[in-house]
Amino acid sequence: MSTEANVHAVDHHDDHGHHHHKQTFIDKYIFSTDHKMISKQYLITGLFMGIIGIAMSLLFRMQLAWPDTHFTIYEIFLGKWGADGVMDPNVYLALVTIHGTIMVFFVLTAGLSGTFSNLLIPLQIGARDMASGFLNMISYWMFFLSSIIMLLSLFVEAGPANAGWTIYPPLSALPQAIPGSGAGMTLWLTSMAIFIASSLLGSLNYIVTVINLRTKGMSMTRLPLTIWAFFLTAIIGVVSFPVLLSAALMLIMDRSFGTSFFLSDIYIAGEVLHNQGGSPVLFEHLFWFLGHPEVYIVILPALGITSEIIATNSRKPIFGYRAMIASILAIAFLSTIVWAHHMFVSGMNPFLGSVFTFTTLLIAIPSAVKAFNYITTLWKGNLQFNPAMLFSIGLVSTFISGGLTGIILGDSALDINVHDTYFVVAHFHLVMGISALYGFFAGIYHWFPKMFGKMMNKNLGYIHFWVTVIGAYGIFFPMHFIGMAGLPRRYYTNTAFPYFDDLANINVVITIFAIITAAAQLVFLYNFISSIFYGKRPTKNPWRSNTLEWTTEIKHIHGNWDGDIPHVYRWSYDYSKLNKDETDYVLAGQDFIPQNIPIQENEEEMNH
Amino acid sequence: MTVFLVLTVLFLFAITIWQMKKIFNLSRLKPQDNSQIATENDNNNQGKLMLGFLVFFYIFLIVGFWNWTSVLLPESGSEHGKDIDQLMLISMILIFTVLIITHFLLLYFAFKYRGIKNRKAIFFADNDQLEFVWTIIPVIVLSGLIIYGLFTWTDIMNIHEDDDPIIVELYAKQFIWEARYSGQDNTLGQANVRFIEGVNTMGVDVSDAYAADDVPARELHLPVGRKVLFKMRSQDVLHSAYMPHFRAQMNVVPGMITQFALTPDITTADARQSDEIIKKVANINKLREEKSKGLVAKGFEALDPYEFDYLLLCNKICGASHYNMQMKIIVETQEEFDAWIAEQKTLSQTLNP
Ligand code: HEM
Ligand SMILES: [Cu+2]
Ligand SMILES: [Cu+2]
């Protein structure tokens, strides 16, 4: 790398590159302000919550498949609510609710975005750390606290929150209506309020860091797509999470201070409540004003991660870099004006339904562009099937198959009959849950060497991928059918309707696939943990990648680069670029040109 | 069918195990390379598995349709439902076409361009025409769908007074549905939860002149071919009135009145005679008999045989027994309906016996 003596190049961060001071265990592992350590903290916490969330789904899936069987497992895990091996209906709803909450917020928002935004933003833009390491640390610890509170809520006397992860009032406001809306819901709301604060601190930090701390030469149009995705995710979060916070605060007031934001004309447990004039539909608007952007908060980082991984492992530039950025921008913007497609049959004015059908189907366009661009990136590539690459291809598959059914749900007329059925459950699990999970796995396999200085075992990775990818379709593909058969979601059992008796077999198939798929995750966990300790040492740039994180040392140091921060001379997608005479690659014998390599003489300059 | 399902699962299991074995063998053959980075050999195998997955994916779709189309909802029992089904069919065909093509491209490319034999990738970063084409195609197709969908939606949701619908209240509370017919005057009496007392379970304002002839009911009877306008009220939490056979759904919201109008066009009796439903019912009864055998062996009572009825379900989580909040709907001829409603007590008769 040529280090031109340009005074302006030495930004103020360069001078504290390398100084050793004694770090205590607590500084280093617990109250660390180093973005790489915080990223690992997010990862481990997220994985831990994920184990709990998935275990919960297994319990309620068993109940759905074998509603008449007594399982001692229920007694072991659910205690008094699983007495005699029979699951209590309230605890069924609690499992569904907490499963949904944990998976969406704790695993795929904090776990996914927290891990990779923290790890990659400073490393890929060439910064020594986040803009504020201290706020970053606070953000993690607030997330940790909210996780603890959410888990504690499982142990309250009347049971945890069980009004669904969407916590629509009045159900979530009235303990008389459902026991989980007592102390359980109070803890749920407390936990989420802290979670939102944590998420806001994190997001603001990401935004400021991306805007201010890019190294010399790293213009916005040279940023890797990962950073673009994290950047816009953070912006969406800052725009929409406060609205959920206000909804939660209003709900808290309705619950505890007798206000009537969401309550009106209610007669319950033999008496009329005093509340008058509130509207549950208002809550739905507020909730989905976050709730819909939330699904993009979940999926955009995953798409950013796979963009990077697919390009690297195809040894080709990502196809349509600018179109990819434009799609992310379009999705980010549109995602804030489609929320009411969750409310077509909520009782709101049908004219609004028409408007939101229109905006919703619009958002399908940038999503389609992204899918086509991924496929074209594979075309005439030289595909390296590392586990991360497999999961990225898996993501493209589920993003398409789940996204397509969105065309049905987004169409108000069609939504009438499938709203709140298993069709919806199938749709959102594929397009958001499974896709984002694949992005998460892809990211872990790809950046494990950067995070832990070890390689993960690829063969275990292959097993993990193939069982998961078949299992996930095995779980969620049949759900489309039972949904179109008219089966509502959030039903404790379907045996109350003989009409649904012919769905029992399908429910068994789904549950068996769920158990197999969950078992495959044990392979991953084993691989993850054993690789941290016994994994093979990687080379500095194991995937032969262009982005800056691979120019740092394997061993983590505070400040990331030992010497000066590298400068950037090109975008991050110069894979397999030939020299002017087309006799060889630009760098002879090497099919990639890292971003810190200046433009060569034998090279045609692109407009990046 | 169960056998078929079990076989499918076993087949998939076998594939999985076969794959695992293959991978283990491979890892044993090449102990010297443990960089944990995909080798040419890995690329070759995984690329082929991608092709295998493509085949699996198509087979899974076919097997799914083969086995499970029989569980889908039968022909719509309401007029507007036929439009919805039509739109659904078109959307489904479109979705499957796109699904099949994109998966072919994705997985076939994955196979074809797997990194073997010193393959060289091309440097292909942009192509404006291509990108324009695949932006404009979704734009056109989706515009078509949006316009079609919006016409259908507006037709369904706009309620015209001149259709002269009969007006029926659907009243939801944890975990019961009730109905209130508007009687001779076809106008419902005012109501509010504050009037709930004794047998006046729906909180009707008895001082309202329109209320006297209202008819409360626990079973929903509807005359065929006549538009009915449901006015919905909830007593406690959100519920959702879901009538899957009519392709109808509307949330029931405390503090406001929501509405949905539909025209049932197949009587319950006729529906029971349709081939689709005869087959479905026979299948359900076969399953119930099998289950009954087990129950009887354990000393429980056998299950009753099942007969088809239209249903009103609750489709918004509303509490512990949400899963069992239902009401039977009976669609009958106008004469049968008139006879039935004449037998019911009006509100004033119920309140002042
Ligand atoms: C082994 C994997 C999983 C299985 C078997 C599974 C299964 C299910 C099922 C059957 C339901 C619906 C229950 C009902 O509505 O009655 C459900 C709800 C839900 N799941 Fe999952 N799930 C899995 C993973 C995930 C992931 C990765 C996410 C991440 C987004 C997720 C998010 C949700 C949400 C948001 C709900 C809705 C909860 C509610 O209705 O309140 N799940 N899950
Ligand atoms: Cu949405
Ligand atoms: Cu209900």
Side-chain angles (χ1 to χ4, degrees):
Chain A
M1 188 189 116
S2 80
T3 32
E4 306 152 83
N6 183 335
V7 198
H8 297 287
V10 187
D11 69 88
H12 69 285
H13 265 261
D14 279 33
D15 48 28
H16 80 282
H18 194 188
H19 48 160
H20 295 284
H21 47 146
K22 271 203 214 100
Q23 277 193 317
T24 61
F25 177 84
I26 291 193
D27 280 344
K28 180 150 181 229
Y29 292 103
I30 302 183
F31 294 112
S32 169
T33 56
D34 184 70
H35 71 102
K36 300 182 289 298
M37 182 53 70
I38 292 175
S39 139
K40 285 195 248 185
Q41 292 171 329
Y42 268 108
L43 177 61
I44 308 276
T45 318
L47 286 178
F48 179 76
M49 295 300 275
I51 296 169
I52 294 174
I54 290 187
M56 287 178 163
S57 75
L58 292 184
L59 288 178
F60 66 71
R61 273 306 328 169
M62 284 170 65
Q63 159 65 23
L64 285 173
W66 302 288
D68 310 318
T69 313
H70 297 225
F71 288 104
T72 346
I73 289 197
Y74 298 163
E75 222 167 323
I76 299 171
F77 285 109
L78 307 175
K80 67 178 181 212
W81 297 303
D84 205 21
V86 181
M87 187 183 287
D88 180 87
N90 276 313
V91 86
Y92 172 88
L93 293 176
L95 287 171
V96 172
T97 302
I98 305 292
H99 160 78
T101 310
I102 286 185
M103 296 313 285
V104 173
F105 293 112
F106 291 80
V107 181
L108 295 179
T109 303
L112 172 62
S113 186
T115 303
F116 291 106
S117 297
N118 268 306
L119 178 72
L120 295 179
I121 289 178
L123 284 173
Q124 289 196 336
I125 67 172
R128 298 247 180 240
D129 204 322
M130 283 290 177
S132 165
F134 179 72
L135 281 188
N136 211 16
M137 176 190 85
I138 302 281
S139 160
Y140 170 74
W141 283 104
M142 290 177 83
F143 165 56
F144 184 80
L145 180 65
S146 71
S147 309
I148 298 286
I149 294 175
M150 189 57 75
L151 293 180
L152 278 182
S153 83
L154 301 176
F155 299 98
V156 301
E157 180 68 30
N162 59 354
W165 80 285
T166 48
I167 55 155
Y168 284 176
L171 189 62
S172 60
L174 306 174
Q176 307 94 302
I178 197 165
S181 293
M185 182 57 72
T186 305
L187 288 177
W188 194 99
L189 288 166
T190 315
S191 163
M192 281 310 297
I194 299 173
F195 181 93
I196 292 169
S198 145
S199 163
L200 286 175
L201 287 181
S203 297
L204 288 172
N205 222 340
Y206 305 152
I207 294 172
V208 173
T209 310
V210 172
I211 292 181
N212 284 336
L213 297 185
R214 300 191 312 277
T215 182
K216 178 162 190 305
M218 184 64 93
S219 60
M220 291 303 273
T221 50
R222 283 182 184 164
L223 281 180
L225 287 172
T226 30
I227 303 301
W228 268 105
F230 298 146
F231 180 54
L232 281 157
T233 303
I235 293 178
I236 304 177
V238 169
V239 171
S240 54
F241 263 120
V243 180
L244 181 66
L245 185 62
S246 53
L249 291 179
M250 285 153 102
L251 184 56
I252 289 172
M253 292 204 251
D254 272 8
R255 289 164 51 82
S256 309
F257 305 113
T259 56
S260 305
F261 291 109
F262 308 128
L263 307 178
S264 187
D265 296 314
I266 292 169
Y267 176 97
I268 196 159
E271 59 175 355
V272 177
L273 304 186
H274 72 274
N275 306 79
Q276 183 71 50
S279 168
V281 179
L282 171 64
F283 180 87
E284 294 177 36
H285 280 297
L286 294 174
F287 181 88
W288 287 111
F289 189 86
L290 161 89
H292 190 86
E294 170 63 23
V295 310
Y296 289 96
I297 292 177
V298 162
I299 196 66
L300 280 181
L303 292 173
I305 286 171
T306 47
S307 304
E308 181 60 30
I309 293 174
I310 288 183
T312 305
N313 286 292
S314 300
R315 315 307 298 156
K316 263 187 76 187
I318 191 82
F319 181 76
Y321 174 77
R322 278 163 199 271
M324 290 297 239
I325 295 176
S327 325
I328 301 179
L329 285 168
I331 288 177
F333 171 69
L334 288 171
S335 76
T336 57
I337 52 166
V338 297
W339 76 90
H341 63 206
H342 299 270
M343 301 169 56
F344 288 136
V345 295
S346 66
M348 71 177 186
N349 187 322
F351 174 70
L352 278 180
S354 309
V355 175
F356 281 94
T357 295
F358 179 71
T359 54
T360 301
L361 296 191
L362 274 189
I363 209 170
I365 295 163
S367 310
V369 169
K370 285 189 92 66
F372 288 130
N373 283 7
Y374 284 132
I375 294 176
T376 315
T377 306
L378 298 185
W379 180 71
K380 296 210 170 172
N382 169 21
L383 309 186
Q384 304 299 310
F385 287 118
N386 291 301
M389 177 66 164
L390 295 179
F391 275 104
S392 303
I393 294 176
L395 177 145
V396 179
S397 165
T398 51
F399 188 63
I400 294 174
S401 55
L404 282 170
T405 49
I407 295 179
I408 287 177
L409 295 164
D411 195 328
S412 48
L414 294 178
D415 184 57
I416 293 173
N417 210 47
V418 283
H419 181 76
D420 263 343
T421 66
Y422 268 88
F423 191 85
V424 176
V425 179
H427 157 75
F428 75 71
H429 274 92
L430 284 177
V431 73
M432 141 171 107
I434 299 302
S435 297
L437 207 57
Y438 286 175
F440 197 15
F441 285 135
I444 295 175
Y445 281 106
H446 192 78
W447 281 289
F448 195 85
K450 193 81 263 163
M451 297 184 97
F452 296 99
K454 299 282 174 62
M455 300 292 284
M456 283 180 83
N457 182 304
K458 69 180 171 193
N459 289 323
L460 292 177
Y462 293 149
I463 294 173
H464 175 214
F465 172 74
W466 286 109
V467 181
T468 305
V469 84
I470 290 181
Y473 272 121
I475 298 170
F476 296 111
F477 178 63
M479 278 191 197
H480 295 95
F481 288 88
I482 58 179
M484 301 228 300
L487 187 69
R489 63 193 281 208
R490 296 166 171 170
Y491 269 21
Y492 161 68
T493 168
N494 310 317
T495 48
F497 293 86
Y499 180 76
F500 293 135
D501 275 1
D502 56 353
L503 306 181
N505 288 325
I506 307 181
N507 268 319
V508 173
V509 172
I510 294 174
T511 301
I512 290 176
F513 273 115
I515 294 171
I516 296 174
T517 314
Q521 309 317 306
L522 296 176
V523 176
F524 165 78
L525 278 183
Y526 168 78
N527 193 357
F528 183 84
I529 294 169
S530 71
S531 298
I532 290 180
F533 296 106
Y534 310 112
K536 187 172 156 37
R537 295 214 163 270
T539 53
K540 204 166 153 184
N541 186 358
W543 317 119
R544 296 176 293 138
S545 180
N546 287 342
T547 37
L548 290 183
E549 74 273 27
W550 305 107
T551 62
T552 62
E553 295 304 320
I554 295 167
K555 184 173 157 18
H556 285 181
I557 52 170
H558 195 72
N560 295 339
W561 283 270
D562 228 347
D564 293 341
I565 295 184
H567 294 174
V568 163
Y569 300 93
R570 56 179 73 241
W571 71 337
S572 60
Y573 296 104
D574 276 336
Y575 292 103
S576 302
K577 189 175 180 191
L578 297 178
N579 60 24
K580 274 186 185 149
D581 320 323
E582 310 210 338
T583 50
D584 197 346
Y585 297 121
V586 171
L587 303 178
Q590 173 176 326
D591 68 352
F592 64 107
I593 321 172
Q595 285 189 278
N596 58 341
I597 306 284
I599 300 293
Q600 308 288 302
E601 263 158 31
N602 63 352
E603 173 180 12
E604 215 172 313
E605 206 167 336
M606 313 259 305
N607 51 356
H608 287 291
Chain B
M1 196 170 98
T2 326
V3 179
F4 207 90
L5 294 175
V6 172
L7 283 181
T8 324
V9 173
L10 285 180
F11 171 71
L12 294 174
F13 235 148
I15 292 190
T16 316
I17 289 173
W18 168 68
Q19 281 174 350
M20 288 197 199
K21 203 171 144 239
K22 211 166 152 194
I23 290 165
F24 273 130
N25 285 346
L26 283 171
S27 59
R28 225 180 306 134
L29 280 176
K30 290 200 133 195
Q32 67 276 27
D33 169 62
N34 63 352
S35 67
Q36 303 305 340
I37 296 170
T39 61
E40 194 170 313
N41 214 322
D42 294 319
N43 291 342
N44 194 20
N45 290 315
Q46 299 302 316
K48 287 182 181 161
L49 284 174
M50 282 286 169
L51 195 62
F53 181 61
L54 179 63
V55 176
F56 162 83
F57 189 79
Y58 288 162
I59 293 180
F60 197 53
L61 290 188
I62 295 168
V63 169
F65 274 95
W66 184 264
N67 269 312
W68 297 326
T69 9
S70 68
V71 306
L72 302 184
L73 286 168
E75 188 197 353
S76 163
S78 72
E79 276 174 9
H80 78 269
K82 278 148 187 122
D83 299 335
I84 290 189
D85 287 357
Q86 181 70 23
L87 179 57
M88 182 69 122
L89 184 68
I90 294 173
S91 306
M92 277 291 175
I93 291 173
L94 179 84
I95 285 178
F96 273 95
T97 316
V98 177
L99 185 71
I100 286 168
I101 295 174
T102 48
H103 271 76
F104 174 78
L105 295 176
L106 176 72
L107 297 169
Y108 180 71
F109 287 172
F111 161 73
K112 174 111 191 271
Y113 300 109
R114 65 196 189 281
I116 52 170
K117 303 203 192 104
N118 296 323
R119 188 190 295 284
K120 286 199 162 47
I122 59 163
F123 186 83
F124 182 53
D126 263 310
N127 183 318
D128 290 346
Q129 277 106 341
L130 260 183
E131 287 175 76
F132 179 74
V133 168
W134 62 55
T135 312
I136 204 72
I137 292 180
V139 169
I140 294 170
V141 174
L142 288 171
S143 309
L145 276 185
I146 291 175
I147 291 169
Y148 188 173
L150 288 185
F151 274 109
T152 316
W153 167 254
T154 324
D155 266 2
I156 297 170
M157 300 308 284
N158 281 1
I159 294 153
H160 304 287
E161 294 300 323
D162 39 327
D163 288 345
D164 184 30
I166 50 171
I167 295 182
V168 180
E169 177 174 81
L170 282 180
Y171 186 76
K173 60 182 165 192
Q174 284 186 329
F175 305 102
I176 297 167
W177 290 105
E178 292 183 45
R180 178 159 61 112
Y181 290 80
S182 47
Q184 293 294 313
D185 54 14
N186 205 22
T187 307
L188 289 162
Q190 297 286 339
N192 186 288
V193 289
R194 288 172 176 78
F195 296 114
I196 293 175
E197 199 181 3
V199 286
N200 186 2
T201 54
M202 284 182 266
V204 181
D205 178 0
V206 285
S207 67
D208 183 351
Y210 290 118
D213 66 344
D214 290 358
V215 177
R218 284 300 182 89
E219 223 176 48
L220 194 58
H221 285 245
L222 301 174
V224 70
R226 173 93 191 266
K227 184 154 239 174
V228 42
L229 172 58
F230 292 111
K231 299 266 181 188
M232 306 176 187
R233 261 185 336 122
S234 164
Q235 165 177 312
D236 38 38
V237 298
L238 289 171
H239 301 269
S240 185
Y242 181 37
M243 294 169 257
H245 301 101
F246 298 153
R247 317 292 188 258
Q249 173 162 214
M250 182 51 68
N251 287 1
V252 189
V253 184
M256 75 190 257
I257 296 175
T258 55
Q259 55 180 17
F260 197 97
L262 58 89
T263 313
D265 66 351
I266 304 177
T267 61
T268 303
D270 285 347
R272 285 177 184 167
Q273 299 307 317
S274 81
D275 288 343
E276 249 179 316
I277 289 185
I278 290 177
K279 243 168 85 187
K280 191 174 172 91
V281 170
N283 181 30
I284 289 176
N285 276 327
K286 207 177 84 205
L287 293 169
R288 286 174 77 79
E289 262 167 47
E290 273 167 32
K291 207 168 155 191
S292 291
K293 274 185 211 145
L295 286 176
V296 173
K298 281 192 217 146
F300 295 102
E301 264 178 64
L303 301 169
D304 297 330
Y306 165 71
E307 190 169 34
F308 174 80
D309 266 306
Y310 292 122
L311 286 171
L312 169 64
L313 300 86
C314 178
N315 198 14
K316 183 64 76 194
I317 181 173
C318 63
S321 295
H322 167 55
Y323 69 93
N324 192 11
M325 176 163 162
Q326 47 177 311
M327 182 152 80
K328 190 157 119 180
I329 306 178
I330 294 153
V331 180
E332 54 202 5
T333 59
Q334 186 72 47
E335 299 80 62
E336 287 167 324
F337 175 75
D338 292 339
W340 173 80
I341 199 130
E343 273 174 27
Q344 308 302 310
K345 282 195 201 146
T346 63
L347 196 71
S348 61
Q349 286 165 337
T350 332
L351 294 181
N352 322 301

